[in-house]
Amino acid sequence: MVAFGKKLKERQIQEWQGFYLNYKLMKKRVKQYAQQMEIGTQDRRHVLKDFSRMLDNQIEKTVLFILEQQGQLASRLTNLREQHDALKETPEISQITELREAYRAVGQDLLKLLYFVEMNAIGLRKILKKFDKRFHYRFTDYYVKTRANHPYSQLQQVFKHVGLGAVVGAISRNLHELQDRQGSYLSIYDPPALPLQDPVVDSIKAAVDRLSHSTNFLNFLAQHALIMQEELPAPTDERIEDERYHFMSLLLNLANTFLYMVNTYIIVPTADDYSMSLGAAATVCGIVIGAMAVAQVFSSVYFSAWSNRSYFRPLVFSSIVLFVGNAMYALAYDMNSLTVLILGRLFCGLGSARAVNRRYISDCVPLKIRMQASAGFVSASALGMACGPALAGILQTNFKIYKLTFNAATLPGWVMAVAWLVYLVWLWISFKEPSRDMEEPPASSSEALENGALEEGKQPLLITSEEKQEDDEDPEGDGSEEAPEESRQPATSIVSAYRLLTPSVKVQLLIYFMLKYAMEILLSESSVITTYYFSWSTSTVSIFLACLGLTVLPVNIVVGSYISNMFEDRQILLASEIMVCIGILLSFHMIIPYTIPQYVCSGLIMFVSAEVLEGVNLSLLSRVMSSRLSRGTYNGGLLSTEAGTIARVIADATITLAGYLGESRLLNITLLPSFLICVASIVATCLTYNSLY
């Protein structure tokens, strides 16, 4: 990846260059502080004071320029307001058109100012993060708290764009009044018959949303998908390529995500009964459920590689394989073959196209709606997780057509086979393969890198000495010291991707492994445990699992909108791990009789805490993972998917192995590894973050 400082410089608006925060100067100053402290010529107190003064001066320069530009925009709007009022007396179509274009011109200049504010905010966050990482000190907390709430705060202008809202409102309101001028003078504050359709207003709204706190929940939810977002905004004069975006194709991509999650969990309530009907033990359901995850470990890699060349063909292949796998799963009953049953689930796992789903969103969805699309990916997964068991609870019937049996065990397979067949037809008719040859050859080395030229084996011929020096200093822009040539290339294998992981990222992957392991134990053995202890029917198990799945989105709304604004991510992370541990402890069957309230409450605590933990963990992971893992086959999304999938495989294998010791011991034996891994992750979290802070 190109160094952040160089990208920042390239994307600056040329005529405003002298008014940006001097990121390069501040980065060099941080490096000087570190060297001075190493040789003992500076103490920490002086460094903090000097750096605070430097930041204050840089922010003041930027803020005064923002205020100057706001004043110019306000003056232009005042003049346009006078022209607007004059038109009410003698309206003329040509003058109305000219006035509307004048308002749009002000809107374009406002967009430039919003991009200016956003780039400075990103630069400020970056340099504060770099300072904290270099000196292992919470300087960011101190600086933001002391400046943000002060009555004379200039930081408010950078992070909360104070005053710009009035300019946005004036442009939106006047463009609304001038729209068509067909006798309707409704205000933007009244419910309009038709929404305002103006690309300038839409662009302004998207830019404001990125700066404001109104998208906190969407951003939090989107980070579950671990789809890396572009960190720097594009300049206003940069041509935005939207030709790759096709709404129906995005919808089909999300439908694939939803159906796959339904397919994963629809068999959970009935897998134990199906295994017993074929002459196996109930705990063989662990192998039946886990077979899909075993195949997914391999399918994630080849689907990720395939998505470098196409999106349509992998989705077609996925649909066909899933159709065949579900048909085999359903036919195993009449064939009386446990082997066919497991092979059917293996085929389903080989059709896992989640790597394609992620890649399509990151590559083919415009930046302005990528966050919403990522949140849609997570929502589709959560909805599928809830719908799968609920659908299994509905399919409680028993009949035969010719020699084919349709009952509670086989109907999930038949229903999903039909669903994938319908999806395949819809996909074939409606999906549009995005063009891959539309980009022009990049003119600069940074553009070549950004458009993935290195991934295709093309390299820029020349890099200026200044650019090379900056890349050598800090190629990732986050304080890491990698060789410049390596720092520009994506990982070429799982091993090279693993080598890019810092200790904190490895701990977060361990946490992800732990929570997926614990959740899989809870979900996969639920039917066996509840039947043994409480004699629950398939419908009751289905309702319980569906209720657990329905908590996903509400929990993320609460965490993304409220809790994440009240506490630091590290605090929520540790608290969630402890709550998962408490949920596991409460699930053990000790001396007292095992009761339904104990099982339901402990399961709910474990599941909800794991959901909170997953959201915060992936939110942190998306921010600290190396930028080299944001693209290519072996990306951060693939690593997290593999960690979670391997956890599910081991959990399902644990259930089957523990079953040989008897169903009476199954609960405690399977919970013990969950507890030990959870304790290990808590210890690793404490040690890692204590060493950093």
Side-chain angles (χ1 to χ4, degrees), residues 133-205:
K133 187 172 183 179
R134 183 62 67 93
F135 297 101
H136 307 303
Y137 185 78
R138 292 185 177 183
F139 176 75
T140 300
D141 292 350
Y142 156 77
Y143 189 81
V144 173
K145 286 177 182 176
T146 54
R147 267 66 173 175
N149 297 319
H150 195 277
Y152 304 135
S153 171
Q154 293 175 329
L155 206 59
Q156 296 274 9
Q157 287 284 350
V158 179
F159 282 124
K160 296 191 177 179
H161 49 90
V162 179
L164 286 176
V167 181
V168 174
I171 295 171
S172 301
R173 184 176 67 83
N174 285 285
L175 279 174
H176 188 277
E177 286 186 6
L178 291 168
Q179 187 182 29
D180 297 335
R181 293 287 293 223
Q182 294 179 349
S184 174
Y185 294 91
L186 283 174
S187 166
I188 59 169
Y189 308 110
D190 300 317
L194 292 172
L196 175 62
Q197 301 290 334
D198 195 290
V200 172
V201 175
D202 290 342
S203 298
I204 291 172
K205 184 179 182 300

Side-chain angles (χ1 to χ4, degrees), residues 1-181:
M1 286 290 288
V2 183
F4 173 80
K6 191 170 69 177
K7 289 174 68 177
L8 190 66
K9 183 178 179 181
E10 288 172 349
R11 296 199 177 188
Q12 288 178 358
I13 299 167
Q14 294 301 314
E15 59 269 29
W16 294 354
Q17 271 194 345
F19 302 100
Y20 284 88
L21 295 175
N22 195 331
Y23 179 82
K24 186 174 182 180
L25 174 64
M26 291 189 290
K27 188 176 74 170
K28 287 184 176 178
R29 187 64 61 86
V30 169
K31 189 175 181 180
Q32 289 172 3
Y33 290 146
Q35 292 172 347
Q36 290 168 355
M37 289 183 67
E38 282 179 8
I39 62 178
T41 58
Q42 287 282 16
D43 61 8
R44 174 171 286 185
R45 185 174 180 180
H46 178 81
V47 166
L48 295 177
K49 184 178 179 180
D50 191 57
F51 190 63
S52 296
R53 188 189 303 113
M54 183 180 186
L55 276 177
D56 290 340
N57 292 338
Q58 289 287 324
I59 291 170
E60 182 178 275
K61 172 189 69 174
T62 300
V63 166
L64 291 177
F65 178 75
I66 292 170
L67 292 174
E68 179 187 344
Q69 293 299 312
Q70 282 182 218
Q72 292 179 12
L73 292 175
S75 178
R76 291 168 63 185
L77 287 172
T78 301
N79 294 333
L80 292 176
R81 181 74 255 174
E82 294 173 359
Q83 298 176 38
H84 195 166
D85 291 340
L87 276 177
K88 290 181 179 178
E89 299 177 3
T90 56
E92 294 184 13
I93 298 299
S94 60
Q95 292 179 343
I96 291 172
T97 302
E98 289 177 6
L99 187 58
R100 191 161 55 224
E101 291 305 316
Y103 272 115
R104 285 174 178 161
V106 177
Q108 291 290 352
D109 288 340
L110 174 61
L111 265 177
K112 287 172 62 178
L113 186 58
L114 288 170
Y115 282 128
F116 175 83
V117 176
E118 185 174 1
M119 290 177 74
N120 281 288
I122 293 170
L124 182 58
R125 285 197 297 266
K126 274 282 188 178
I127 199 65
L128 287 169
K129 175 185 172 184
K130 185 180 294 294
F131 190 93
D132 285 356
K133 187 172 183 179
R134 183 62 67 93
F135 297 101
H136 307 303
Y137 185 78
R138 292 185 177 183
F139 176 75
T140 300
D141 292 350
Y142 156 77
Y143 189 81
V144 173
K145 286 177 182 176
T146 54
R147 267 66 173 175
N149 297 319
H150 195 277
Y152 304 135
S153 171
Q154 293 175 329
L155 206 59
Q156 296 274 9
Q157 287 284 350
V158 179
F159 282 124
K160 296 191 177 179
H161 49 90
V162 179
L164 286 176
V167 181
V168 174
I171 295 171
S172 301
R173 184 176 67 83
N174 285 285
L175 279 174
H176 188 277
E177 286 186 6
L178 291 168
Q179 187 182 29
D180 297 335
R181 293 287 293 223

Side-chain angles (χ1 to χ4, degrees), residues 49 108 131 173 214 251 302 364 367 397 414 463 533 556 619 635 682:
K49 184 178 179 180
Q108 291 290 352
F131 190 93
R173 184 176 67 83
S214 63
L251 193 62
Y302 68 71
C364 304
L367 186 63
T397 185
W414 290 122
I463 300 178
Y533 286 104
N556 281 295
S619 177
N635 51 59
I682 292 172

Side-chain angles (χ1 to χ4, degrees), residues 268-273 389-390 392-396 408 525-546 596 599:
V268 172
T270 57
D272 57 337
D273 291 337
I394 296 172
L395 301 176
Q396 299 297 306
E525 70 178 14
S526 58
S527 183
V528 179
I529 295 298
T530 55
T531 300
Y532 178 79
Y533 286 104
F534 318 127
S535 300
W536 278 7
S537 65
T538 300
S539 297
T540 308
V541 178
S542 301
I543 292 171
F544 172 68
L545 294 178
I596 293 177
Y599 177 77

Side-chain angles (χ1 to χ4, degrees), residues 445-497:
S445 61
S446 63
E447 290 171 355
L449 292 167
E450 195 146 335
N451 287 307
L454 284 172
E455 193 172 340
E456 302 298 328
K458 309 168 192 169
Q459 297 190 28
L461 297 176
L462 294 174
I463 300 178
T464 66
S465 59
E466 182 181 354
E467 291 170 347
K468 190 174 188 302
Q469 180 183 359
E470 186 171 7
D471 281 355
D472 288 348
E473 286 179 4
D474 190 358
E476 296 292 344
D478 61 359
S480 57
E481 304 289 344
E482 296 180 71
E485 200 60 40
E486 285 185 359
S487 68
R488 300 188 187 106
Q489 299 183 33
T492 55
S493 67
I494 287 288
V495 175
S496 63

